[in-house]
Amino acid sequence: MEKRDFMYEGKAKRMFTTDDPAYCIVEYKDSLTAFNALKKDSIEGKGQLNNLISSALFEYLASKGVETHFVRRLDDVRQLVRKVSIVPIEVVVRNITTGSLCKRLGVEENRALARPLLELYLKDDALGDPIITEDHALLFGWSTEEQLAKIKDVSLTVNTLLTDYFAHLGIILVDFKLEFGVDGTGKLLLADEISPDTCRFWDAETKKKLDKDRFRKDLGDVLGAYREIWRRVSEGSK
Ligand code: TMP
């Protein structure tokens, strides 16, 4: 599939058209941002690691019946994906309390939740991705009732699958963010990426943070943490 024209650029990826309008090429960048891009850096090799990790996780989820935009990894930094129109909702699933949940509600950090907590955020950088309710999503037309039901169902399924997958690698899946899109035939697909940029991963034994919190909180060795996730994911899928 030929890479054609540049389409648009996000904080961590670039999108390109291909010669087939049903497919796009996504290119993972080395740039890292936090706090709605108030904090920025670039770490050589980060894009490649996220591409490898995200590709492996999409392949794993597809093997378990989750429908995703992922087609195949093309090279170190690029994937072929189905072209989708992104639903402007970011879904966060949490297993352990931390991050914005604790800041917003004042609840204690590091508490294992009795069941997964699912939250919806409006995908709008200008507004700082505010948290929304299902009613907001439906009344303002950000998703249909049918899409929302599927988005919630698939997100919780992904949580069950990935929690188990990472547990076998000695990693606790603390929380993560998913995005969904609708393809040309109207089908809802899991989209975007699943990587240490979009998940919180803790080492099960030491509780060491192995994700973008190392960048957000200036904990050092960001790339080492991403490499460790890729090492375990690649070992685990042998
Ligand atoms: P939060 O605690 O900051 O709301 O983050 C929850 C999860 O969502 C965490 O795994 C990081 C991920 N996340 C993103 O992928 N993109 C974002 O813009 C934010 C704020 C969080």
Side-chain angles (χ1 to χ4, degrees), residues 56-74:
L57 295 179
F58 277 132
E59 274 165 14
Y60 174 72
L61 291 172
S63 79
K64 298 290 178 186
V66 177
E67 293 174 319
T68 84
H69 75 154
F70 180 82
V71 179
R72 64 176 180 271
R73 187 166 67 78
L74 296 173

Side-chain angles (χ1 to χ4, degrees), residues 11 33-36 90-94 98-104 119 121 125 128-129 173-179 192-193 195-201 211-213 216:
K11 285 178 285 210
T33 66
F35 315 117
N36 202 12
E90 299 193 354
V91 184
V92 169
V93 181
R94 302 178 189 269
T98 190
S100 72
L101 171 68
C102 297
K103 280 207 189 72
R104 184 180 310 108
E119 298 173 332
Y121 294 82
D125 282 342
D129 296 346
L173 178 62
V174 175
D175 56 29
F176 58 93
K177 183 263 301 179
L178 298 178
E179 294 184 27
D192 195 49
E193 69 178 281
S195 73
D197 271 12
T198 63
C199 303
R200 285 194 175 96
F201 297 123
D211 57 66
K212 195 161 98 172
D213 266 356
R216 295 189 189 97

